[in-house]
């Protein structure tokens, strides 16, 4: 079975919770056809009064629909018959299948945007080794602009990903040279006028916060991929237009285990749309004081590595096409679910037709 789960391993915060600052263009006529009307399965559950918190994006006269600022990775993926363990039967095992796939939080989200037809650009630091050349080549082949990529004479970020072939769940082991950090002064001077949406991750948090401030001052909408905690995480939450959290982050920031309660607590520090991916439970968004929960799609999962990033890229696509929040969540869930049926991160990115087909099949099966 199952569906989409958030992409990366849970990286533990390097800080105690108190230092992390706890706080108490689609055709409108086809929307109903695409998203299966008002059936019960994969339908959002809403609570409370609605107040739209979705500002319109800048016009499409800007050079890029989305500019992503963050990290890339080359993933060495190993599919295994079971998770390794220090016991006799699981200490040694034959690899079922292995391959190399490019990834990284922002890189995978941008690959999703480009596959869905958006004009995309990547800004970040890559190395000079074969892994760096591979990831730059992969992004370029997907039509992603690399005009402002910084290249340093270091090894690129890479990861070893161990995938359980039965569940599709994975363990990620990664390494990144500190010299790959993007500096604030390396952000392009025309960032404020370049993109309709700027998408940042939390890998180089200082640059992400600065980029968010520049982009919003220039009228762009800023989305985020927040997956870890450090002493500036809450600043990043407040800096972006739509924070999008990995499943464990709202609870870590607020001390509230229930996702809905955690989002409501975060409302005190952010007035806009708040989104959290919930793995097999789907996704949730707080729009004003109205809570939307969209269940996940049931698929035979092969690898969940890229799912969270595919969700974010698909969310950006739907937002730029003016879809309501429920349809946006449903579409992003569907795209993420399709990505789980394939190995790899960028390699798993679905097309618009594939995501819509899953929605149609789920609607027909009701």
């Amino acid at each position: 079975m199952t569906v989409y789960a958030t992409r990366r391993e849970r990286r533990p915060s390097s800080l105690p919770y108190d230092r992390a600052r706890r706080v108490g263009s689609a055709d409108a006529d086809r929307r109903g056809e695409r998203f299966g009307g008002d059936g019960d399965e994969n339908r959002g559950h809403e609570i409370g009064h609605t107040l739209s918190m979705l500002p319109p994006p800048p016009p499409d006269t800007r050079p890029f629909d989305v500019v992503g600022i963050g990290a890339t990775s080359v993933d060495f993926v190993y599919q295994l018959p079971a998770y390794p363990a220090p016991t006799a039967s699981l200490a040694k095992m034959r690899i079922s299948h292995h391959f190399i796939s490019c990834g990284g939080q922002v890189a995978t989200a941008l690959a999703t945007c480009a596959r869905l037809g958006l004009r995309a650009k990547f800004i970040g630091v890559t190395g000079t080794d074969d892994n760096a050349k591979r990831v730059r080549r992969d992004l370029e082949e997907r039509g992603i602009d690399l005009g402002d990529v910084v290249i340093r004479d270091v090894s690129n970020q890479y990861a070893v990903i161990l995938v359980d072939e039965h569940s599709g769940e994975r363990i990620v082991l990664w390494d990144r040279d500190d010299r790959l950090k993007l500096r604030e002064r390396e952000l392009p001077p025309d960032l404020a006028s370049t993109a309709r949406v700027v998408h940042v991750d939390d890998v180089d948090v200082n640059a992400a916060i600065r980029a968010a401030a520049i982009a919003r001052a220039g009228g762009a909408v800023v989305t985020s991929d927040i997956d870890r905690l450090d002493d500036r995480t809450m600043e990043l939450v407040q800096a972006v237009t739509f924070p999008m959290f990995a499943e464990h982050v709202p609870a870590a920031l607020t001390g509230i285990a229930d996702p809905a309660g955690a989002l409501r607590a975060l409302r005190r520090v952010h007035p806009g749309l708040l989104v959290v991916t919930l793995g097999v439970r789907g996704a949730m968004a707080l729009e004003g004081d109205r809570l939307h929960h969209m269940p996940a799609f049931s698929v035979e999962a092969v690898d969940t590595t890229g799912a969270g990033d595919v969700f974010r890229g698909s969310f950006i696509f739907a937002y730029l096409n003016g879809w309501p929040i429920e349809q946006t969540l449903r579409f992003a869930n569907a795209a993420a679910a399709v990505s789980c049926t394939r190995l790899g991160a960028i390699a798993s990115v679905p097309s618009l037709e594939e995501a819509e087909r899953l929605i149609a099949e789920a609607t027909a099966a009701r």
Side-chain angles (χ1 to χ4, degrees), residues 7 73-80 95 97-104 129-132 134 156-163 170-175 303 305 343-345:
R7 182 181 102 62
S73 176
V74 173
D75 299 336
F76 297 83
V77 183
Y78 298 89
Q79 196 172 33
L80 305 175
I95 296 168
H97 180 66
H98 67 91
F99 77 108
I100 301 173
S101 173
C102 296
D129 60 354
D130 288 342
N131 286 341
R134 178 190 290 269
N156 207 73
Q157 178 176 329
Y158 72 96
V160 174
I161 302 178
L162 308 180
V163 180
R170 80 280 183 267
I171 297 172
V172 181
L173 311 173
W174 61 278
D175 189 36
D303 179 9
T305 298
L343 286 171

Side-chain angles (χ1 to χ4, degrees), residues 39-288:
D40 295 327
E41 185 178 342
N42 299 112
R43 179 181 179 184
H45 306 293
E46 308 151 6
I47 302 171
H49 174 68
T50 182
L51 173 65
S52 177
M53 305 303 289
L54 299 177
D60 61 7
T61 53
R62 295 195 173 195
F64 297 99
D65 295 307
V66 55
V67 169
I69 301 173
T72 67
S73 176
V74 173
D75 299 336
F76 297 83
V77 183
Y78 298 89
Q79 196 172 33
L80 305 175
Y83 275 148
T87 60
S89 61
L90 297 176
K92 294 182 179 180
M93 65 184 69
R94 185 171 184 173
I95 296 168
S96 302
H97 180 66
H98 67 91
F99 77 108
I100 301 173
S101 173
C102 296
Q105 294 168 237
V106 162
T108 306
L110 285 179
T112 304
C113 291
R115 182 77 191 272
L116 295 173
L118 298 182
R119 300 163 298 162
K121 177 175 184 170
F122 172 73
I123 297 172
V125 182
T126 64
T128 52
D129 60 354
D130 288 342
N131 286 341
K133 294 172 184 175
R134 178 190 290 269
V135 76
R136 289 196 299 267
R137 182 171 61 249
D138 196 346
L139 294 176
E140 283 184 323
E141 288 174 351
R142 294 171 185 274
I144 297 169
D145 187 280
L146 303 182
D148 284 311
V149 164
V150 178
I151 299 176
R152 295 212 180 100
D153 191 16
V154 297
S155 297
N156 207 73
Q157 178 176 329
Y158 72 96
V160 174
I161 302 178
L162 308 180
V163 180
D164 184 331
E165 67 180 2
H166 299 291
S167 69
E169 296 298 331
R170 80 280 183 267
I171 297 172
V172 181
L173 311 173
W174 61 278
D175 189 36
R176 185 177 193 249
D177 193 301
D178 289 341
R179 290 171 291 177
L180 290 171
K181 183 174 293 186
L182 179 67
R183 305 182 184 101
E184 294 178 49
R185 66 175 181 269
E186 292 171 320
L187 295 168
D190 61 350
L191 177 63
S193 60
T194 297
R196 304 172 72 198
V197 170
V198 171
H199 181 63
V200 300
D201 63 23
D202 55 5
V203 175
D204 299 323
V205 68
N206 294 337
I209 291 171
R210 178 60 181 154
I214 293 171
R216 293 188 73 178
V221 167
V222 181
T223 59
S224 70
D225 182 349
I226 300 178
D227 185 56
R228 72 201 77 195
L229 300 180
D230 67 17
D231 57 357
R232 299 199 74 188
T233 298
M234 195 59 74
E235 288 181 69
L236 180 59
V237 172
Q238 295 171 311
V240 304
T241 316
F242 305 153
M244 288 192 269
F245 303 99
E247 182 174 8
H248 59 284
V249 173
L253 287 173
T254 65
I256 300 172
D258 172 59
L263 290 183
R264 292 193 186 282
L266 288 166
R267 170 61 73 234
R268 302 179 209 166
V269 298
H270 196 289
L273 184 74
L274 303 172
V275 181
V276 60
T277 55
L278 299 174
V280 296
R281 294 180 291 163
M284 185 176 290
L286 184 64
E287 182 188 20

